[in-house]
Amino acid sequence: MSRLTIAKAITAGLARAMDEDPKVMLMGEDIGSLGGVYRVTEGLKARFGAHRVLDSPLGEAGIVGTAVGLAQRGYRPVCEIQFDGFVFPAFNQITTQVAKLHARSEGRMKMPMTIRIPYGGVIGSVEHHSESPEALFAHTAGLRIITPSNANDAYWMEQQAIACDDPVIIFEPKRRYWLKGEVDESAPPGDPFSASVIREGRDATIVAWGPLVPVALAAANAAAEDGRSVEVVDLRSISPIDIDTITASVRKTGRLVIAHEAPTFGGIGGEIAARVTEQAFYSLEAPVLRVGAFHLPYPPAAVEEHYVPDLDRVLDALDRTFAY
Amino acid sequence: MESRSHAGVVESTLPKHQLLDERGAVTEDDLLSPYTQDITVDDLQHLYRSMTKARRVDEEGTSLQRQGQLVLWVPLKGQEAAQIGSTWPTRPTDRLYPSYREHAVAFERGVEPSELMRYFRGHTAGGWDPEKHNLNLYTVVLGSQAPHAVGYAMGTALDRKAAEDAGTPLETEPEAVVAYFGDGASTEGEVHESMVFAASYDAPVLFFIQNNQWAISVPFATQSRVPLATRAAGYGFEGLRVDGNDILAVVAATRYALAKIRRGEGPVLIEAETYRMGAHTTADDPTKYRKREEEDQWGLLDPIERLKEHLRTAHGVADSFFETVAQENDDLARRMRADVLAMTPPEFVDRFEHVYAEPHALVAAERAEYLEYQAGFEDASDVHGTAAEGVGA
Ligand SMILES: Cc1ncc(C[n+]2csc(CCOP(=O)(O)OP(=O)(O)O)c2C)c(N)n1
Ligand SMILES: [Mg+2]
């Protein structure tokens, strides 16, 4: 057991994957000497060498595109995209090549690639550094998408993504990089493509992921003071969605609030709401509610707290579901 | 496989143009010397003022950021000659496309330092009126502005052709467009595509690269084996390498390029070899990836010191001039600081105004929801701080 920040848990997870499999290699902008702008790869170049930790030229299409070729050659590349808003030069490669090669080759070609993307806002930065683009990728078949919310998951989900024979995008909650937690190095927490009930409750369910998980827990705590017992599900996997865990929770509580940082319109919350409605309609005692950002470009830092859902917004949704 | 020590760094045969040597003495350059003949001492003093103003604002920016008054600052120190030298020769009708470090370009185009600071204070993703200054907004996704510049240039050429075809040729001088980007951004595919388009359509565009040797922690050798100016030949247009810390060489190269572009001969590329003397941004720590000795070496090539030396020795400019300019810059920095501190924070509700040019049902509905939600805090305005108070107004 170690007590690590999420960032250091990722570093440790990457190091272990590199130790265990010589084909695992890292590539990205500033990930070598600097150790990444968030220092997530700090020390790895010194430890594993410049041939396994590539300080790449400045091109995201190049990073992901060459990773495709490396994967075809038997490597397991782990690409770092420096910030969420800078993944789009690689969007073509990710959606038209990475996602489709297995199907195009009728299963002959595997694409064991990992793409790490620090995501989310409330870090007080400038444009393109605070976005939550998970839905844009989830819409594409062939990509697995996961997002850890705590150090233990971060440590293991990185390794599980690397070991997976499908391409996996890991959205890393950058504003929680410094959040500490216990990491149990002895055994993985189970299927990375599953959701997890992290707080039990009877009266309502909150589903959240990545950076909003601590907010959901805080909301459950606040609700408990008002005598409401709220269950919290950490979604963990955005594609596939572990809908069974969510419906099981809703069958118990009858009320569902989904909270994410991305805009509500066209977001993953809508997908979850539709599926829960289809599968657990008669268990619902109120409409499924979504809490997300507005249909606006991510705003300047001075007003970002009005855009990204916070504790009050989640509590407001709980109030509304209970009032229904 | 480490690209830094790759086998192939190729010695370039492209000359590096220089008009002022490291000590500020004039050197001759067959191609470029003719382009500085009419430059007066007044002009040089203007250039000095502009360069030192940018540096002074830069210092103030770093200090404001350190004091928590800006969310970020992007230092330009060391690149004043490259920026001022490439902007000063343009005409107000020439459209410029900066990346995100071109503060000196913006000031030379009349943007007030405090206007620009709205961006770095986290109040806006823009900052100035692009039409008023004929200056596009900062573009942070690297290289994205390069095709925009080419397209705008194509548009100016189409306009001229349309006027000619209509029998009413424009009497104004042809416009030129400048695309600014860095050594790192030069790797992005969009930069490559923009060069192909520019060549294909003879677009009147100048690709102005500030090669400041670093892309955050990644050295230039990772991006290219050759000077970037040599790439222009591969696209079929001229590329010039200039000493980017030599204001005269940058001015002359830019004038040469703009004249050629206005003659309808298509794009030109200038690579100004310079150095980012400071950190990448206030969030960066250069000691992690580059050597102090390298910084000291480039410190000796400071573009401002070079021009100052030239003004002193070649033109006998007295100390009083430099003192006056320093005083003016201090005053400006003080005013800017006061303006920054006095800025009214934006209201979140205004974000709903400009997402679309035409009414949009979802935005309207979400705006109403937001206002209703905020109204619920009316009696508890502490929840969202001061911004919540103005929401209903
Ligand atoms: C598409 C994209 N990828 C990554 C980044 C993150 N980033 C910001 S600046 C920078 C380095 C840019 O280097 P260069 O083009 O040489 O310009 P300089 O910062 O030296 O002025 C990087 C990697 C970005 N802004 N856009
Ligand atoms: Mg650079």
Side-chain angles (χ1 to χ4, degrees):
Chain A
M1 290 287 253
S2 319
R3 202 172 156 71
L4 298 176
T5 63
I6 289 183
K8 287 298 160 212
I10 297 172
T11 317
L14 293 173
R16 180 157 168 185
M18 294 181 83
D19 262 335
E20 289 175 359
D21 183 349
K23 293 292 189 187
V24 174
M25 58 186 289
L26 314 183
M27 44 205 301
E29 294 155 10
D30 305 286
I31 67 166
S33 311
L34 186 64
V37 294
Y38 281 103
R39 308 292 184 265
V40 167
T41 53
E42 192 155 48
L44 298 182
K45 180 178 157 189
R47 180 157 158 207
F48 295 101
H51 61 297
R52 291 186 71 194
V53 181
L54 270 57
D55 255 327
S56 75
L58 212 167
E60 292 74 13
I63 293 168
V64 176
T66 56
V68 168
L70 283 158
Q72 290 173 334
R73 181 68 191 184
Y75 288 85
R76 300 185 93 83
V78 182
C79 303
E80 174 175 305
I81 299 295
Q82 199 162 80
F83 282 92
D84 34 64
F86 304 140
V87 67
F88 298 104
F91 197 67
N92 171 45
Q93 285 290 338
I94 296 172
T95 55
T96 71
Q97 306 304 316
V98 174
K100 295 183 173 54
L101 272 161
H102 190 67
R104 189 181 299 151
S105 67
E106 291 165 331
R108 292 182 182 88
M109 192 183 281
K110 297 199 170 78
M111 203 37 61
M113 180 194 299
T114 303
I115 302 173
R116 299 179 37 241
I117 309 179
Y119 81 122
V122 207
I123 59 161
S125 192
V126 294
E127 205 183 2
H128 315 297
H129 292 74
S130 306
E131 297 167 11
S132 300
E134 63 266 26
L136 293 176
F137 294 91
H139 198 61
T140 300
L143 302 172
R144 291 175 184 269
I145 303 171
I146 57 180
T147 178
S149 70
N150 58 68
N152 196 52
D153 273 356
Y155 176 77
W156 285 109
M157 285 164 88
E158 296 284 339
Q159 296 177 65
Q160 290 164 322
I162 293 168
C164 180
D165 277 341
D166 288 320
V168 181
I169 299 178
I170 306 192
F171 282 102
E172 300 175 358
K174 70 170 97 77
R175 73 161 140 145
R176 309 291 182 204
Y177 269 151
W178 299 275
L179 190 70
K180 283 195 169 171
E182 292 298 328
V183 174
D184 178 358
E185 292 95 343
S186 64
D191 182 2
F193 305 106
S194 67
S196 139
V197 176
I198 54 172
R199 181 192 165 107
E200 306 247 359
R202 293 176 313 274
D203 303 333
T205 302
I206 305 177
V207 173
W209 52 93
L212 280 195
V213 169
V215 176
L217 285 172
N221 285 336
E225 285 169 25
D226 292 342
R228 305 283 195 183
S229 164
V230 173
E231 180 147 307
V232 177
V233 178
D234 179 352
L235 188 68
R236 297 172 80 246
S237 178
I238 292 167
S239 182
I241 289 174
D242 174 7
I243 201 70
D244 293 348
T245 298
I246 299 169
T247 47
S249 175
V250 172
R251 285 200 180 95
K252 185 170 65 171
T253 64
R255 294 184 158 82
L256 176 61
V257 169
I258 307 153
H260 55 61
E261 279 199 17
T264 311
F265 182 73
I268 298 297
E271 183 61 35
I272 296 172
R275 284 180 190 269
V276 167
T277 311
E278 286 160 5
Q279 295 177 23
F281 185 72
Y282 290 107
S283 303
L284 285 170
E285 290 176 40
V288 178
L289 296 180
R290 292 170 295 162
V291 184
F294 298 100
H295 184 64
L296 305 173
Y298 196 94
V303 291
E304 67 183 331
E305 269 143 47
H306 291 257
Y307 177 80
V308 173
D310 58 3
L311 176 61
D312 289 327
R313 294 260 304 276
V314 178
L315 287 174
D316 173 68
L318 280 178
D319 284 350
R320 282 185 286 134
T321 189
F322 286 129
Y324 189 80
Chain B
M1 208 191 244
E2 192 180 8
S3 42
R4 205 166 305 187
S5 54
H6 61 62
V9 173
V10 177
E11 267 313 307
S12 173
T13 51
L14 260 194
K16 178 163 155 184
H17 296 284
Q18 193 186 57
L19 292 175
L20 284 182
D21 72 12
E22 284 69 11
R23 294 177 326 285
V26 173
T27 58
E28 283 304 310
D29 182 282
D30 289 346
L31 184 75
L32 294 187
S33 287
Y35 289 85
T36 55
Q37 297 312 312
D38 63 333
I39 292 182
T40 64
V41 182
D42 271 359
D43 291 335
L44 292 173
Q45 288 183 330
H46 166 80
L47 294 169
Y48 180 83
R49 272 203 178 85
S50 295
M51 288 165 68
T52 52
K53 165 180 160 180
R55 183 167 294 187
R56 185 64 187 84
V57 170
D58 185 47
E59 280 165 13
E60 202 65 19
T62 297
S63 131
L64 281 164
Q65 201 282 335
R66 294 267 179 266
Q67 292 157 2
Q69 298 298 338
L70 301 178
V71 299
L72 186 79
W73 178 245
V74 176
L76 60 55
K77 186 176 179 190
Q79 300 178 218
E80 296 88 350
Q83 295 189 11
I84 298 291
S86 55
T87 304
W88 184 65
T90 63
R91 297 176 183 279
T93 45
D94 296 336
R95 179 83 148 201
L96 311 183
Y97 284 79
S99 184
Y100 50 81
R101 200 185 294 283
E102 280 68 58
H103 319 319
V105 171
F107 303 153
E108 196 65 9
R109 269 303 171 91
V111 173
E112 283 298 325
S114 53
E115 270 181 292
L116 181 131
M117 290 297 168
R118 291 180 54 230
Y119 180 91
F120 292 101
R121 195 158 163 82
H123 283 190
T124 175
W128 58 84
D129 177 351
E131 297 307 325
K132 180 174 161 204
H133 302 282
N134 214 5
L135 174 71
N136 198 52
L137 297 171
Y138 277 175
T139 303
V140 172
V141 182
L142 292 164
S144 296
Q145 75 280 13
H148 307 166
V150 173
Y152 193 94
M154 288 163 63
T156 68
L158 287 171
D159 284 352
R160 295 197 83 76
K161 179 160 190 318
E164 258 162 45
D165 290 351
T168 51
L170 299 179
E171 278 164 21
T172 51
E173 235 202 334
E175 294 158 53
V177 178
V178 185
Y180 286 94
F181 53 91
D183 46 292
S186 75
T187 293
E188 292 283 358
E190 279 149 281
V191 170
H192 167 80
E193 292 181 31
S194 69
M195 292 196 182
V196 173
F197 274 68
S200 216
Y201 294 103
D202 297 327
V205 64
L206 168 60
F207 296 105
F208 192 90
I209 303 179
Q210 291 169 81
N211 179 349
N212 63 6
Q213 312 305 324
W214 291 93
I216 310 187
S217 70
V218 180
F220 175 56
T222 300
Q223 315 294 344
S224 181
R225 292 179 168 204
V226 293
L228 295 169
T230 58
R231 289 190 185 168
Y235 297 104
F237 49 87
E238 187 173 4
L240 296 174
R241 252 178 110 187
V242 298
D243 180 339
N245 286 6
D246 168 355
I247 182 79
L248 279 188
V250 180
V251 165
T254 305
R255 284 178 159 189
Y256 167 86
L258 292 176
K260 188 167 173 168
I261 290 164
R262 290 193 219 284
R263 287 197 301 272
E265 294 175 32
V268 177
L269 186 155
I270 292 176
E271 178 185 14
E273 295 183 9
T274 178
Y275 194 70
R276 191 194 79 214
M277 292 171 81
H280 171 69
T281 67
T282 43
D284 177 42
D285 174 9
T287 62
K288 296 249 181 216
Y289 53 81
R290 71 185 190 188
K291 297 218 164 63
R292 186 60 194 273
E293 296 85 79
E294 180 188 293
E295 295 179 357
D296 292 345
Q297 278 303 313
W298 278 94
L300 301 174
L301 303 176
D302 188 321
I304 291 183
E305 288 308 313
R306 197 182 302 189
L307 176 57
K308 188 173 184 182
E309 230 8 73
H310 177 67
L311 282 168
R312 269 188 214 283
T313 48
H315 301 283
V317 172
D319 284 349
S320 57
F321 167 75
F322 302 107
E323 283 156 19
T324 309
V325 172
Q327 190 56 54
E328 287 166 5
N329 290 337
D330 283 344
D331 291 346
L332 176 94
R334 203 165 342 99
R335 283 200 307 277
M336 178 190 81
R337 166 176 285 268
D339 288 348
V340 167
L341 300 185
M343 271 175 197
T344 318
E347 297 287 356
F348 181 71
V349 71
D350 294 337
R351 307 314 301 175
F352 293 93
E353 296 307 315
H354 301 297
V355 189
Y356 295 93
E358 298 189 17
H360 188 283
L362 176 61
V363 172
E366 289 196 347
R367 181 178 184 276
E369 272 168 35
Y370 171 74
L371 288 176
E372 194 191 320
Y373 172 75
Q374 284 302 100
F377 287 109
E378 220 114 83
D379 303 326
S381 58
D382 58 325
V383 178
H384 271 292
T386 47
E389 291 161 12
V391 158

